[in-house]
Amino acid sequence: IVHKLNGYFMTRNVQYRYLIKVRSFSSAKVRSMVDHTKPTLRDFDPKWVILHAGTNDLKLPKKASQIAKSIIDLANAIQTQDNNIVISLIVPRDDELNNKAYEVNSRLKLMCIDRGYRYIDHADNIKVEKHLDQHKLHLNRNGLKIFEKNFTDFLSNLF
């Protein structure tokens, strides 16, 4: 999902208060994300990290609680005293894994609150019937715009 986001336009949408870099690790599962994110974070040293992960893990024979915990473990692994971690919850979908995604998100919200992480919930404004493509798994053009706006709204409202 993230690979279609444009960091330049997102930066412009937050009135250049933040330089937004988007990094996508296609098909990566949460457990391999530490290996992908650490070099990127080392190179850019961001103040805010919005972490969107877990969708590819839904197909694995893992419980929702295990997926949520692995996302929190990833956040813990990449957090430093110089950055703030924000968890982007899994986007709604229209297949047999939607209930699992919902359960992961429910657990993630509680874990974020417990650990002091902020989160971005897409369920309020991304609607399955309007914002998914023909396969009902990925966002269509309008869904991507809303997804992107969720991030820029979050950043715009920090201060």
Side-chain angles (χ1 to χ4, degrees), residues 13-156:
N13 288 338
V14 295
Q15 287 85 40
Y16 299 95
R17 288 193 293 176
Y18 301 99
L19 175 62
I20 299 173
K21 298 281 186 184
V22 177
R23 295 293 177 260
S24 172
F25 307 105
S26 227
S27 302
K29 309 294 188 287
V30 174
R31 66 185 163 100
S32 63
M33 289 296 293
V34 172
D35 300 328
H36 293 302
T37 55
K38 287 227 175 186
T40 300
L41 297 176
R42 202 172 29 249
D43 291 344
F44 294 105
D45 193 29
K47 180 175 178 170
W48 290 92
V49 177
I50 300 176
L51 182 62
H52 186 78
T55 302
N56 293 329
D57 289 63
L58 294 174
K59 297 176 191 164
L60 300 176
K62 293 170 91 175
K63 294 180 180 178
S65 59
Q66 293 171 307
I67 296 170
K69 183 182 180 319
S70 67
I71 294 169
I72 293 296
D73 290 345
L74 170 60
N76 291 337
I78 64 174
Q79 185 173 36
T80 68
Q81 57 186 349
D82 298 323
N83 69 22
N84 298 284
I85 305 294
V86 180
I87 307 289
S88 169
L89 301 183
I90 296 172
V91 173
R93 38 193 302 139
D94 191 20
D95 68 352
E96 70 280 354
L97 295 174
N98 190 50
N99 288 339
K100 190 174 183 182
Y102 179 83
E103 189 177 342
V104 170
N105 286 345
S106 296
R107 292 175 181 272
L108 264 177
K109 286 179 192 177
L110 294 173
M111 294 169 127
C112 284
I113 291 166
D114 189 46
R115 287 160 180 79
Y117 291 132
R118 297 179 188 203
Y119 63 87
I120 300 171
D121 191 350
H122 304 285
D124 289 340
N125 51 9
I126 292 180
K127 303 301 178 200
V128 170
E129 58 280 352
K130 287 174 48 177
H131 300 118
L132 296 181
D133 68 6
Q134 63 199 18
H135 304 292
K136 301 296 183 190
L137 296 177
H138 300 102
L139 296 172
N140 61 24
R141 188 176 308 159
N142 290 330
L144 281 169
K145 286 179 185 176
I146 292 170
F147 185 67
E148 182 177 276
K149 189 174 181 329
N150 289 345
F151 293 132
T152 57
D153 284 353
F154 175 85
L155 291 169
S156 293

